[in-house]
């Protein structure tokens, strides 16, 4: 088999001939098993890299069934019940999946549970409630009529979320898989022995592909076995009494059940994190990194490389954490469905090989009669290509059942073309980075670097029904997808970074984007005067500020937008109805006005109005400001109502960032003048990539390195190169 390639191909028993055919057509150089498939013996002995999946916490079901005390646990809050008299009965698991959860009988209720009056948000004394193990109910006495009550309890997960999903969605048969928590020393010791045996019995495996190290992201499941809460980066499924005790010993204070259920918000990543939650995350991260590093060393000692799939079980091993590099992994594999996901993979530190697993996965939810998987794949590929031009990617791959994909010859041809394009990309770029425009762009939010390139979840998303409900499709505040394919250096900073280190001199523009009170906008961080002074000084000294949707939003001191003095505007929250707004008059001579094509989409009405007579209004929806520009000291500021992803929106964002960087009067080599065409110049190879992201013929005019005009015509979706 060929040894030079760039794709990891999934295998399936009974599909050996298909595998060998696609191995050549798709320029593969590695084979992998997937969830629900196994590696045929004949393929395992091929002369190529063999990736073998290792989900250690699910690997030994006999041990999991024999030791329920080591199963994953979590805190859940019962659904509120209103007391109609002086007592109330609470059924902790009512409304939750009976297939997935059971009450944890190893966690003494009066030690680890908590009953609250949710109307007054007060903790009920333990003497005032009693748990009845026979009925699995909590009796609360001396209640106040018409007040709501909840019990926060520890539940044991008897059906792993991934196993449950595949059983219900993909009709997988077999026993219900359970997951073990390696935080318990005896459990960890057993898993280490199990892994050592696994390494011995997989001599043909050259790459151990860890789909998990310890913990799954948060999925809470309702009584109809439907998801009722998800947080892809949440730490809610990392809890155990032992871990809580160790945390208290190390940090000097005890966490409470409320620290985890958070009034039912469950510390969602969209929320500004509390210091206590961040302490818990750090505590868990140290454990997971230590455990993962032990496993990786075992694999290396056995002569095998290691990879981590940054998907289901990456809690504690987020690749942007400094501690991640202590694990010693060789390959990072990311599930990539768009440009933001691609940048989340390619922008992390370290020298790991970056391998993108493309969607759609070869599962029956997409590969079914009457469906065309090419539609989803091409939509993804258009976004991924833009981002690939900005940061180098090393490998690509797919997962699932080849028997399903092979039923769609058009899709097979489509992937062949993707692989051909990717192969040429590797040759022309030599895995080097493209040239960027001057100045660094910093995205400011409550998470900073640790949550780099994580999509800003916006409230619009709740009211949008994607064609595939299991795939989160982000709408509304989607500036990051527009940014992912633009020629700028981008980093993510937190408010703590600004407090502790100030604003780096190499940052040219700061972006603050998100819904009010969210972690993305910043919430209560904007009540800190030191933060406001730092941002004002940054802009006054020549920096640029881009605010999107609810930038610096925090109701305080007569303002909603705390940096409204820089932006020159305010948002109506029904508190300033008596304040007379200045008239909206468009500045048609502004640089940004001339950059508009008329096809931009600035989302829903903003309810933002002018507050400065020197504000340039570039676009408005009636009286709702949509795009503005303003000078502030020696710097500049701009406001965007919203920026759903589109090629036109990505290009106007490029113009905004150029204007905020005060680079609009300069000539820039290899900068596209067509919103549907992306261009990237690679200095180390002296090659230029030119990509048409539309289904129509496009023309683009460029300046080369000698500032000579170059014109190129591209057919629909064409990707061409200039040498």
């Amino acid at each position: 088999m060929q040894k030079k390639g760039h794709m990891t191909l999934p295998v399936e028993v009974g599909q050996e001939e298909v595998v060998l055919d696609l191995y050549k057509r798709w320029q593969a150089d590695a084979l992998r098993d997937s969830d629900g498939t196994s590696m045929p013996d004949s393929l395992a002995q091929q002369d190529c890299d063999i990736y073998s999946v290792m989900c250690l916490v699910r690997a030994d079901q006999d041990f999991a069934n024999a030791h329920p005390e080591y199963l994953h646990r979590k805190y859940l809050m019962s659904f509120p019940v209103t007391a109609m008299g002086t007592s109330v009965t609470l059924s902790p698991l009512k409304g939750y999946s009976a297939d997935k959860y059971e009450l944890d009988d190893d966690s003494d209720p009066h030690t680890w549970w908590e009953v609250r009056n949710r109307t007054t948000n007060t903790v009920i004394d333990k003497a005032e409630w009693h748990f009845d193990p026979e009925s699995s109910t909590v009796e609360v006495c001396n209640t106040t009529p018409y007040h709501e009550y909840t019990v926060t309890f520890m539940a044991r997960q008897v059906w792993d979320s991934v196993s449950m999903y595949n059983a219900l969605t993909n009709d997988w048969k077999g026993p219900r898989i359970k997951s073990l928590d390696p935080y318990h020393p005896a459990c960890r010791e057993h898993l280490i022995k199990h892994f050592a045996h696994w390494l011995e019995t997989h001599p043909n495996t050259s790459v151990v592909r860890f789909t998990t190290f310890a913990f799954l992201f948060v999925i809470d499941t309702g009584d109809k076995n439907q998801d009722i809460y998800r947080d892809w980066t949440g730490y809610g499924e990392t809890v155990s009494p032992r871990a809580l005790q160790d945390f208290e010993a190390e940090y000097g204070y005890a966490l409470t059940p409320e620290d985890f259920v958070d009034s039912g918000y469950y510390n969602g990543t969209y929320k500004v994190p509390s210091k206590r939650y961040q302490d818990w995350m750090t505590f868990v991260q140290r454990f997971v990194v230590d455990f993962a590093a032990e496993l990786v060393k075992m694999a290396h000692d056995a002569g095998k490389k290691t990879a981590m799939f940054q998907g289901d079980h990456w809690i504690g091993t987020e690749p942007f954490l400094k501690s991640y590099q202590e694990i010693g992994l060789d390959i990072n594999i990311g599930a990539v469905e768009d440009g933001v996901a691609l940048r989340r993979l390619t922008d992390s530190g370290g020298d790991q090989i970056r391998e993108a697993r493309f969607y759609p996965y070869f599962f029956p939810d997409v590969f079914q009669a009457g469906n065309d998987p090419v539609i989803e794949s091409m939509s993804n590929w258009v976004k991924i290509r833009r981002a690939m031009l900005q940061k180098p990617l090393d490998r690509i791959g797919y997962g699932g059942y080849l028997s399903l994909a092979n039923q769609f010859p058009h899709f097979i041809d489509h992937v062949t073309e993707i692989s051909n394009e990717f192969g040429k990309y590797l040759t022309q770029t030599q895995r080097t980075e493209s040239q960027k425009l001057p100045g660094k762009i910093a995205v400011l939010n409550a998470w900073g670097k640790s949550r780099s390139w994580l999509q800003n979840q916006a409230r619009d998303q709740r009211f949008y029904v994607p064609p595939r409900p299991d795939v989160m499709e982000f709408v509304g505040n989607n500036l990051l997808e527009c940014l992912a394919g633009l020629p700028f250096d981008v980093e993510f900073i937190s408010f703590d970074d600004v407090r502790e280190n100030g604003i780096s001199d190499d940052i040219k523009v700061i972006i603050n984007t998100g819904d009010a009170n969210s972690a993305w906008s910043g919430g209560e961080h904007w009540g800190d005067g030191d933060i406001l002074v730092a941002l004002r000084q940054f802009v006054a000294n020549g920096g640029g500020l881009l605010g999107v949707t609810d930038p610096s939003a925090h109701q305080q001191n007569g303002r909603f937008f705390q940096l409204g003095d820089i932006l020159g505007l305010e948002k109506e929250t029904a508190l300033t109805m008596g304040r007379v707004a200045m008239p909206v008059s468009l500045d048609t001579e502004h640089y940004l006005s001339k950059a508009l094509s008329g096809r931009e989409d600035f989302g829903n009405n903003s309810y933002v109005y002018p507050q400065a007579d020197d504000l340039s209004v570039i676009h408005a929806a009636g009286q709702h400001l949509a795009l503005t520009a303003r000078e502030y000291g020696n710097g500049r500021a701009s406001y965007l109502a919203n920026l759903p992803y589109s090629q036109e929106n990505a290009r106007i964002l490029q113009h905004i960032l150029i204007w905020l960087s005060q680079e609009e009067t300069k000539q820039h080599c290899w900068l596209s003048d067509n919103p549907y065409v992306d261009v990237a110049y690679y200095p180390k190879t002296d090659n230029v990539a030119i990509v048409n992201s539309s289904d129509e013929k496009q023309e683009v005019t460029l300046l080369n390195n000698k500032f000579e005009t170059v014109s190129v015509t591209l057919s629909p979706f064409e990707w061409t190169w200039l040498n």
Side-chain angles (χ1 to χ4, degrees):
M1 300 181 78
Q2 62 196 23
K3 293 184 179 180
K4 289 186 177 181
H6 49 252
M7 181 185 286
T8 304
L9 186 68
V11 301
E12 183 181 350
V13 173
Q15 298 293 312
E16 288 83 350
E17 291 186 8
V18 174
V19 171
L20 295 175
D21 175 48
L22 295 183
Y23 190 93
K24 296 178 181 178
R25 293 178 62 184
W26 288 358
Q27 301 181 61
D29 60 351
L31 300 176
R32 59 162 286 203
D33 51 6
S34 304
D35 285 342
T37 69
S38 57
M39 181 73 65
D41 291 338
S42 62
L43 295 178
Q45 298 169 12
Q46 296 291 334
D47 186 18
C48 67
D49 265 336
I50 302 295
Y51 287 49
S52 293
V53 62
M54 168 41 64
C55 183
L56 189 55
V57 298
R58 300 200 302 254
D60 190 345
Q61 287 301 293
D62 290 338
F63 186 82
N65 289 325
H67 293 278
E69 70 273 19
Y70 298 148
L71 297 183
H72 280 160
R73 278 171 277 196
K74 70 187 305 176
Y75 272 123
L76 291 173
M77 187 185 80
S78 68
F79 291 91
V81 176
T82 302
M84 306 305 290
T86 57
S87 66
V88 67
T89 300
L90 304 176
S91 299
L93 282 173
K94 184 177 181 181
Y96 292 104
S97 171
D99 291 322
K100 185 175 184 179
Y101 306 111
E102 64 183 22
L103 294 180
D104 181 34
D105 53 18
D106 288 323
S107 309
D108 175 59
H110 276 88
T111 301
W112 300 107
W113 297 15
E114 184 180 81
V115 176
R116 280 193 178 237
N117 180 328
R118 288 292 168 184
T119 302
T120 59
N121 196 30
T122 54
V123 179
I124 303 301
D125 190 280
K126 294 177 180 178
E128 300 292 318
W129 59 271
H130 168 72
F131 173 66
D132 180 5
E134 291 189 7
S135 62
S136 295
T137 59
V138 173
E139 302 292 333
V140 188
C141 59
N142 296 325
T143 56
T144 302
Y146 305 109
H147 282 212
E148 284 189 314
Y149 292 82
T150 64
V151 56
T152 297
F153 59 99
M154 198 168 283
R156 188 160 52 214
Q157 297 191 175
V158 294
W159 196 1
D160 176 85
S161 295
V162 176
S163 170
M164 187 177 193
Y165 168 83
N166 284 319
L168 299 177
T169 304
N170 295 317
D171 197 30
W172 282 14
K173 307 301 181 184
R176 296 176 177 181
I177 302 299
K178 299 173 181 174
S179 280
L180 291 160
D181 182 350
Y183 191 84
H184 304 276
C187 182
R188 175 173 177 165
E189 181 181 358
H190 175 81
L191 293 177
I192 292 296
K193 291 179 180 178
H194 185 93
F195 184 53
H197 177 72
W198 185 92
L199 289 171
E200 292 176 359
T201 55
H202 286 72
N204 296 316
T205 296
S206 58
V207 180
V208 182
R209 178 182 174 272
F210 292 100
T211 65
T212 176
F213 283 115
F215 304 111
L216 182 70
F217 63 85
V218 176
I219 298 180
D220 292 337
T221 307
D223 55 8
K224 296 180 177 62
N225 284 341
Q226 83 284 15
D227 289 358
I228 57 175
Y229 178 81
R230 284 188 188 183
D231 185 0
W232 290 84
T233 54
Y235 275 59
E237 307 211 346
T238 61
V239 186
S240 69
R242 175 181 286 274
L244 290 169
Q245 290 170 332
D246 289 349
F247 176 90
E248 182 179 0
E250 180 177 339
Y251 281 79
Y253 72 90
L255 293 173
T256 70
E258 186 66 13
D259 287 321
F260 292 93
V261 300
D262 186 27
S263 300
Y265 293 112
Y266 291 96
N267 296 301
T269 302
Y270 50 84
K271 283 194 64 192
V272 176
S274 68
K275 178 63 166 58
R276 295 164 75 92
Y277 181 55
Q278 288 178 301
D279 284 348
W280 177 256
M281 292 173 67
T282 301
F283 173 80
V284 172
Q285 287 159 6
R286 281 201 298 269
F287 162 72
V288 177
V289 165
D290 179 74
F291 180 55
E294 183 176 5
L295 299 177
V296 167
K297 184 178 185 304
M298 292 173 65
H300 286 167
D301 289 346
K304 303 179 190 303
K305 292 178 288 187
T306 57
M308 187 190 81
F309 173 60
Q310 299 168 4
D312 295 347
H313 289 71
W314 72 327
I315 301 304
T317 59
E318 293 91 328
F320 286 92
L321 296 175
K322 186 177 180 180
S323 60
Y324 178 80
Q325 298 304 323
E326 299 172 16
I327 299 173
L329 288 156
D330 304 294
I331 304 170
N332 289 346
I333 304 174
V336 172
E337 69 277 10
D338 56 21
V340 168
L342 192 282
R343 294 296 295 269
R344 193 160 61 242
L345 173 67
T346 58
D347 285 31
S348 57
D351 57 2
Q352 288 86 12
I353 297 295
R354 268 71 173 177
E355 179 174 325
R357 194 199 74 186
F358 285 173
Y359 284 93
Y361 211 71
F362 304 160
F363 269 2
D365 52 353
V366 174
F367 290 85
Q368 56 179 289
N371 201 12
D372 184 359
V374 172
I375 295 175
E376 179 179 332
S377 178
M378 194 63 201
S379 174
N380 296 345
W381 182 231
V382 166
K383 299 173 188 175
I384 291 167
R385 287 196 307 187
R386 294 182 62 244
M388 274 172 46
L389 297 182
Q390 305 309 324
K391 287 287 184 177
L393 177 67
D394 300 302
R395 299 179 52 78
I396 60 177
Y398 287 89
Y401 301 110
L402 276 182
S403 58
L404 291 176
N406 202 43
Q407 296 174 22
F408 295 82
H410 178 42
F411 178 79
I412 298 297
D413 293 340
H414 164 73
V415 175
T416 302
E417 179 59 29
I418 286 179
S419 182
N420 289 337
E421 287 188 353
F422 184 74
K424 193 165 187 178
Y425 161 84
L426 293 178
T427 299
Q428 299 282 25
T429 67
Q430 295 298 303
R431 294 178 169 87
T432 61
E433 188 169 338
S434 59
Q435 179 174 280
K436 303 295 188 291
L437 291 169
K440 182 177 287 185
I441 311 300
V443 180
L444 172 64
N445 58 45
W447 289 108
K449 187 175 182 179
S450 68
R451 294 287 184 263
S452 296
W453 293 108
L454 194 67
Q455 278 283 25
N456 289 18
Q457 294 166 305
R459 62 188 176 191
D460 305 53
Q461 179 186 341
R462 176 172 296 281
F463 302 96
Y464 176 78
V465 181
R468 288 178 58 200
D470 63 305
V471 175
M472 301 185 90
E473 185 152 344
F474 292 88
V475 296
N477 194 330
N478 213 342
L479 175 139
L480 293 186
E481 186 62 47
C482 295
L483 183 62
L486 297 183
F488 295 96
D489 282 319
V490 180
E491 70 172 294
F492 289 72
I493 61 174
S494 70
F495 293 93
D496 288 339
D497 292 332
V498 175
R499 290 187 188 94
E500 296 167 10
N501 307 312
I503 299 171
S504 175
D505 291 339
D506 62 350
I507 293 175
K508 210 67 178 290
V509 177
I510 291 177
I511 300 174
N512 181 234
T513 171
D515 289 336
N517 302 314
S518 69
W520 315 119
S521 175
E524 57 263 32
H525 285 292
W526 290 112
D528 183 344
D530 291 341
I531 293 291
L532 302 180
V533 169
L535 268 294
R536 287 169 180 153
Q537 186 177 29
F538 167 76
V539 179
N541 288 342
L545 173 67
L546 172 58
V548 186
T549 305
D550 289 330
S552 73
H554 181 64
Q555 196 69 56
Q556 181 175 287
N557 298 329
R559 269 202 181 123
F560 186 62
F561 288 165
Q562 294 302 307
L563 294 181
D565 59 315
I566 298 179
L567 296 166
L569 39 76
E570 177 63 299
K571 183 167 186 172
E572 183 55 69
T573 62
L575 298 182
T576 57
M577 290 296 293
R579 193 177 291 166
V580 178
M582 295 179 179
V584 173
S585 177
L586 298 183
D587 182 353
T588 58
E589 297 303 312
H590 197 278
Y591 165 79
L592 293 179
S593 295
K594 297 181 183 300
L596 291 177
S597 68
R599 296 183 294 271
E600 293 82 8
D601 176 10
F602 299 110
N604 299 328
N605 291 336
S606 68
Y607 295 91
V608 173
Y609 58 90
Q611 278 244 276
D613 56 11
D614 60 346
L615 178 70
S616 290
V617 179
I618 312 301
H619 189 81
Q623 298 297 301
H624 298 267
L625 298 183
L627 173 59
T628 68
R630 186 168 184 254
E631 308 279 342
Y632 182 87
N634 292 322
R636 293 173 172 179
S638 181
Y639 172 78
L640 271 169
N642 221 321
L643 205 68
Y645 169 73
S646 70
Q647 286 292 113
E648 296 91 345
N649 279 3
R651 193 49 45 91
I652 193 60
L653 176 61
Q654 177 174 290
H655 282 294
I656 292 169
L657 295 177
I658 288 174
W659 181 79
L660 289 171
S661 300
Q662 304 189 39
E663 293 280 338
E664 76 278 10
T665 60
K666 301 177 182 178
Q667 290 185 312
H668 299 283
C669 300
W670 305 116
L671 194 63
S672 170
D673 68 346
N674 184 329
Y676 302 104
V677 178
D678 291 296
V679 179
Y681 171 64
Y682 295 86
K684 292 186 178 180
T685 63
D686 202 29
N687 290 323
V688 181
I690 307 177
V691 181
N692 180 4
S693 295
S694 77
D695 59 0
E696 297 179 354
K697 185 176 75 171
Q698 299 291 339
E699 296 182 357
V700 62
T701 301
L702 307 161
L703 292 178
N704 65 16
N705 291 336
K706 297 179 181 179
F707 294 97
E708 300 167 337
T709 300
V710 178
S711 296
V712 179
T713 300
L714 301 100
S715 56
F717 296 116
E718 182 182 355
W719 183 348
T720 191
W721 293 85
L722 299 181
N723 301 105

